[in-house]
């Protein structure tokens, strides 16, 4: 597997319009750290993308407007697929949404696969929260 040389910030999105806030937060982090910006959307394999194609197109345009590449992958194991992608693009930081007050299973599993990768979760109002995750517990840093 060929790994990118320049470090990058990886933003993980789902097929939802409001994931634009994640891309914007990732853009700010990438600018602060002089990193490339990559956006990744992993979906379960499907034949019918019509239920979220408009949202994916909107997020793609948002990513492009901020100079980011956006990749959509179909894989049954989103955390593993994300970890593999993060290694390939030399990700030094991960940005995700925050569905509630705790990190979700996706983030915890990615952290198990990439324990040294810092994770920033973005609240619905756009606040960036850096999480310090270990395998015993997750706490707000």
């Amino acid at each position: 597997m060929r790994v990118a040389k320049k470090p990058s910030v990886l933003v993980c999105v789902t097929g939802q319009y409001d994931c634009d806030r994640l891309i914007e937060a990732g853009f700010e982090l990438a600018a602060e750290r002089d990193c490339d910006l990559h956006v990744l959307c992993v979906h379960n394999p499907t034949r019918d993308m019509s239920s979220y194609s408009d949202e994916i197109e909107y997020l793609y345009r948002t990513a492009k407007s901020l100079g980011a590449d956006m990749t959509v992958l179909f894989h049954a194991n989103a955390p593993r697929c994300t970890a593999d992608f993060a290694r390939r693009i030399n990700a030094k930081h991960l940005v995700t949404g925050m569905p509630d007050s705790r990190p979700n299973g996706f983030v915890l599993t990615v952290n198990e696969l990439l324990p040294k990768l810092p994770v920033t979760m973005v609240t619905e109002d756009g606040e960036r929260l850096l999480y310090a995750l270990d395998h015993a517990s997750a706490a707000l840093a």
Side-chain angles (χ1 to χ4, degrees):
M1 165 185 0
R2 192 170 144 235
V3 176
K5 293 188 186 222
K6 186 173 181 181
S8 62
V9 170
L10 175 58
V11 178
C12 293
V13 299
T14 59
Q16 299 174 350
Y17 287 109
D18 67 349
C19 285
D20 58 356
R21 75 187 190 287
L22 308 179
I23 299 170
E24 291 164 4
F27 173 77
E28 292 170 4
L29 284 169
E32 291 167 8
R33 292 166 170 78
D34 189 31
C35 291
D36 286 338
L37 178 62
H38 293 272
V39 178
L40 177 65
C41 184
V42 180
H43 281 283
N44 278 319
T46 182
R47 292 179 188 206
D48 182 12
M49 292 179 49
S50 62
S51 64
Y52 53 87
S53 61
D54 289 343
E55 291 89 339
I56 295 295
E57 178 62 26
Y58 168 74
L59 296 172
Y60 175 82
R61 286 192 316 269
T62 301
K64 284 295 178 194
S65 74
L66 296 173
D69 290 326
M70 180 168 166
T71 303
V72 178
L73 299 174
F74 295 91
H75 198 282
N77 188 331
R80 179 161 304 283
C81 183
T82 299
D84 291 344
F85 189 82
R87 285 185 200 100
R88 192 173 65 215
I89 64 161
N90 194 22
K92 300 299 181 189
H93 204 100
L94 178 70
V95 177
T96 70
M98 189 168 72
D100 57 26
S101 62
R102 299 167 288 134
N104 62 21
F106 170 81
V107 172
L108 293 173
T109 304
V110 171
N111 179 249
E112 289 173 1
L113 297 168
L114 299 171
K116 295 183 180 184
L117 185 66
V119 177
T120 292
M121 294 182 143
V122 181
T123 65
E124 288 182 10
D125 63 358
E127 183 181 1
R128 295 187 304 183
L129 303 172
L130 179 64
Y131 274 82
L133 300 170
D134 62 35
H135 301 298
S137 65
L140 184 60

